Amino acid sequence: MPKRVSTPPPDWKSEPKYFTIYQPYPIHANMELDTDRKLLCFWIACILGDPKYLFALFHKPSSPNMVIIEVDRSCPSYERLLGEHKWSEFLLQPHCDEVARSSKIYYSRWSHARGVEKNGECFIASEPC
């Protein structure tokens, strides 16, 4: 039996970028809830400058403190996502529980959606907004 032709790797120039968010906003976010998912997406869209650059949101129900986002590679300001984001600096009137909290955003270890799906079988992609 002939060996199956391997799938060619994706074109990295057209692939979106993936970022991992540790401790996502809002506090104790449950990505199963539309309100929490929308709050997170609005916050990310504000950092990026335009909601059209945010493609998808992946979360794993068994690890609620981590979220992976898919961002358009052509976004001119995706570097602004990286690093620590103190909630007291972007919330107008933070609750006393939110003052000391922060979210940390890193490059994801996966560089394409197939890697996210393959390595995190429970990750659920959802339409952001």
Side-chain angles (χ1 to χ4, degrees):
M1 183 169 194
K3 186 177 178 182
R4 185 179 77 87
V5 177
S6 62
T7 306
D11 179 22
W12 66 271
K13 292 179 184 176
S14 63
E15 278 288 306
K17 288 200 170 280
Y18 293 88
F19 298 91
T20 301
I21 303 174
Y22 176 68
Q23 298 286 338
Y25 174 78
I27 195 166
H28 307 299
N30 179 357
M31 292 300 124
E32 299 293 323
L33 301 175
D34 283 339
T35 54
D36 286 356
R37 196 167 52 240
K38 284 184 180 183
L39 281 172
L40 175 63
C41 291
F42 290 147
W43 173 57
I44 296 298
C46 287
I47 295 172
L48 294 174
D50 196 337
K52 71 179 181 181
Y53 295 121
L54 181 59
F55 287 159
L57 171 66
F58 299 89
H59 76 281
K60 190 173 186 176
S62 63
S63 60
N65 292 331
M66 294 282 202
V67 173
I68 295 177
I69 57 172
E70 183 179 65
V71 177
D72 187 359
R73 185 176 286 275
S74 68
C75 177
S77 59
Y78 69 82
E79 293 92 5
R80 292 176 46 191
L81 285 171
L82 297 171
E84 181 180 23
H85 299 271
K86 294 181 180 179
W87 294 8
S88 60
E89 293 177 2
F90 66 83
L91 294 175
L92 296 177
Q93 295 178 344
H95 191 268
C96 60
D97 294 341
E98 298 172 332
V99 173
R101 299 197 50 109
S102 65
S103 296
K104 295 168 185 71
I105 304 178
Y106 309 96
Y107 284 115
S108 179
R109 62 190 284 191
W110 297 291
S111 59
H112 47 81
R114 182 68 183 129
V116 174
E117 294 166 3
K118 194 173 175 183
N119 294 309
E121 296 170 14
C122 295
F123 274 96
I124 301 168
S126 53
E127 290 298 319
C129 301

